């Protein structure tokens, strides 16, 4: 797993990360060979200082409180049986243990029935949930083999069965065209027509990259280098602050899930951390008029009244 995937980005200190990224002279830093490796190492270094590692979640299912009480009472009664000498008292305690065991069995059955009911209800929405439940309580184990060769011999050995399966898979594929086979890769790639456009000829600028980042979903999976979408989106918060410094109002526009709310919430939290006392009012724009929302000039006094 890439190093950048180890961090809990929901607990990141984005303010400090943005400040540290701004203080780096990237033109000077990214000189010489292995620029990509240098860039990743620097990002990893900054993330390691400001983002905690993910906490591994326990796969152990918690025991319900009612069941804990029943099991505790059963254990207490079992210990009590070793101290009793009267057969009558012993039988009474054993009867209590049997009743507790019946209650425990009923509790287990109810839990399983509820789980089965949920699995059936979600069979269309979440088939994986249903098949996981079915596999968990399946009494038979699915195995492969024995297999039969073309000559009729039956094989049980895993290596021999793998060979039989390989032959079966190869038999359903068509044979590659010999004319399309590359016999000398060095010569083939050397003779490529370099007059035709290549990937390096694609022209793009920083604005194109920013627009591409805006289209990303906040929960997009990281690429092979481990770069999380939250890193890219939250490091754009500084741009919003710069806009507020020179604009009376700013509109954040984008498709659902592209991090619009995350950006202004991050900036709000940053200003609060800096003791700037920002004010954020979340309202439905349809609940107020345009003048109340955006502000208006009084035509009589020419006095400006701020909007919401």
């Amino acid at each position: 797993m890439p190093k950048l995937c180890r961090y809990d980005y929901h607990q990141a200190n984005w303010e400090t990360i943005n400040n540290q990224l701004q203080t780096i002279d990237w033109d000077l830093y990214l000189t010489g060979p292995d620029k990509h490796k240098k860039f990743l190492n620097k990002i990893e270094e900054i993330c390691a200082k400001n983002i905690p590692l993910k906490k591994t979640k326990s796969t152990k299912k918690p025991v319900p409180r009612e069941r804990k009480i029943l099991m505790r009472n059963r254990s207490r009664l079992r210990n009590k049986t070793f101290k009793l000498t009267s057969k009558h008292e012993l039988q009474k305690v054993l009867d209590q243990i049997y009743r507790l065991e019946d209650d425990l069995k009923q509790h287990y059955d109810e839990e399983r029935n509820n789980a089965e009911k949920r699995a059936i209800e979600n069979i269309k929405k979440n088939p994986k949930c249903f098949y996981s439940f079915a596999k968990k309580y399946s009494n038979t184990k699915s195995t492969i083999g024995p297999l039969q060769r073309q000559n009729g011999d039956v094989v049980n050995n895993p290596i021999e069965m793998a060979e039989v399966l390989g032959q079966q898979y190869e038999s359903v594929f068509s044979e590659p065209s010999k004319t399309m086979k590359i016999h000398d890769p060095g010569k083939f790639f050397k003779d490529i027509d370099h007059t035709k456009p290549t990937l390096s000829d694609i022209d793009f600028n920083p604005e194109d990259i920013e627009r591409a980042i805006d289209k990303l979903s906040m929960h997009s999976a990281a690429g092979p280098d481990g770069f999380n979408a939250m890193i890219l989106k939250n490091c754009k918060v500084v741009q919003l602050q710069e806009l507020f410094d020179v604009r009376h109002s700013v509109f954040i526009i984008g498709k659902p899930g592209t991090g619009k709310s995350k950006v202004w919430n991050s900036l709000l939290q940053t200003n609060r951390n800096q003791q700037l006392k920002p004010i954020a009012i979340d309202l439905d724009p349809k609940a107020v008029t345009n003048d109340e929302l955006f502000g208006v000039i009084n035509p009589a006094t020419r006095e400006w009244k701020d909007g919401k």
Side-chain angles (χ1 to χ4, degrees):
M1 182 175 68
K3 294 181 179 180
L4 291 173
C5 294
R6 303 178 303 170
Y7 300 104
D8 184 3
Y9 293 100
H10 295 283
Q11 306 296 329
N13 187 346
W14 295 112
E15 174 195 356
T16 307
I17 292 174
N18 275 300
N19 292 336
Q20 292 183 6
L21 289 174
Q22 283 186 298
T23 57
I24 299 173
D25 187 352
W26 292 105
D27 292 333
L28 180 62
Y29 181 76
L30 298 177
T31 55
D34 297 332
K35 294 181 180 180
H36 183 255
K37 187 176 181 180
K38 286 183 179 180
F39 178 73
L40 290 179
N41 290 339
K42 177 57 70 173
I43 298 298
E44 160 68 16
E45 178 185 340
I46 294 175
C47 289
K49 294 179 180 178
N50 301 286
I51 307 178
L53 294 174
K54 290 180 180 178
K55 295 181 180 179
T56 55
K57 295 182 180 180
S58 175
T59 56
K60 190 175 181 180
K61 191 175 181 180
V63 180
R65 183 174 179 273
E66 295 180 5
R67 192 184 303 171
K68 282 184 178 180
I69 295 174
L70 292 174
M71 295 172 70
R72 193 181 302 121
N73 291 338
R74 183 182 62 177
S75 178
R76 179 176 55 81
L77 290 174
R78 282 178 175 175
N79 293 332
K80 188 177 180 180
T81 57
F82 295 107
K83 302 177 182 179
L84 295 175
T85 56
S86 171
K87 291 184 178 180
H88 179 68
E89 292 294 330
L90 179 60
Q91 188 61 43
K92 286 177 60 177
V93 173
L94 290 176
D95 291 340
Q96 293 178 5
I97 293 175
Y98 296 150
R99 286 195 293 270
L100 286 174
E101 289 179 345
D102 290 338
D103 293 340
L104 277 171
K105 183 178 182 302
Q106 183 179 359
H107 200 276
Y108 279 113
D109 291 341
E110 288 179 359
E111 183 183 40
R112 180 167 177 175
N113 290 335
N114 291 333
E116 182 177 352
K117 185 178 179 181
R118 287 194 301 270
I120 294 174
E121 290 175 351
N122 294 327
I123 191 170
K124 290 185 177 180
K125 298 180 181 178
N126 187 7
K128 185 178 179 181
C129 175
F130 173 78
Y131 289 112
S132 297
F133 174 82
K135 185 177 180 181
K136 180 179 179 181
Y137 294 101
S138 176
N139 294 326
T140 58
K141 301 295 181 181
S142 57
T143 57
I144 298 176
L147 301 178
Q148 188 176 21
R149 294 184 183 273
Q150 292 182 351
N151 58 6
D153 295 340
V154 178
V155 294
N156 290 315
N157 185 281
I159 298 178
E160 294 178 348
M161 288 194 296
E163 293 176 354
V164 174
L165 290 174
Q167 293 172 1
Q168 173 63 25
Y169 292 147
E170 290 177 359
S171 65
V172 299
F173 289 107
S174 59
E175 186 176 352
S177 174
K178 295 181 180 180
T179 58
M180 301 298 294
K181 185 177 180 180
I182 300 175
H183 299 281
D184 188 356
K187 184 177 182 302
F188 175 81
F189 289 104
K190 186 177 180 181
D191 295 339
I192 292 178
D193 186 3
H194 295 285
T195 60
K196 295 182 179 180
T198 61
L199 288 176
S200 59
D201 297 326
I202 299 176
D203 187 22
F204 59 90
N205 52 41
E207 288 74 19
D208 295 328
I209 298 175
E210 291 177 10
R211 283 194 292 269
I213 293 174
D214 290 336
K215 292 180 181 179
L216 282 175
S217 171
M218 185 62 75
H219 303 289
S220 295
D225 54 7
F227 255 91
N228 193 290
M230 293 186 69
I231 297 179
L232 301 174
K233 286 186 169 291
N234 281 286
C235 290
K236 286 171 57 64
V237 175
V238 65
Q239 298 179 6
L240 181 61
Q241 180 61 58
E242 292 173 352
L243 287 173
F244 274 127
D245 292 340
V246 297
R247 295 286 188 272
H248 175 72
S249 61
V250 177
F251 291 83
I252 306 176
I253 302 173
K255 294 182 179 180
T258 55
K260 300 186 297 297
S261 300
K262 188 69 176 179
V263 167
W264 73 259
N265 273 304
S266 299
L267 180 59
L268 175 67
Q269 188 60 45
T270 299
N271 288 332
R272 285 175 177 170
N273 294 338
Q274 294 177 345
Q275 306 298 324
L276 298 179
K277 298 181 180 180
I279 299 174
I281 303 174
D282 192 3
L283 54 85
D284 186 349
K286 297 180 180 179
V288 294
T289 64
N290 288 342
D291 292 345
E292 291 174 333
L293 180 62
F294 301 115
V296 64
I297 295 178
N298 190 318
T301 63
R302 308 302 297 174
E303 181 182 0
W304 171 260
K305 181 181 179 181
D306 287 334
K308 299 294 184 180

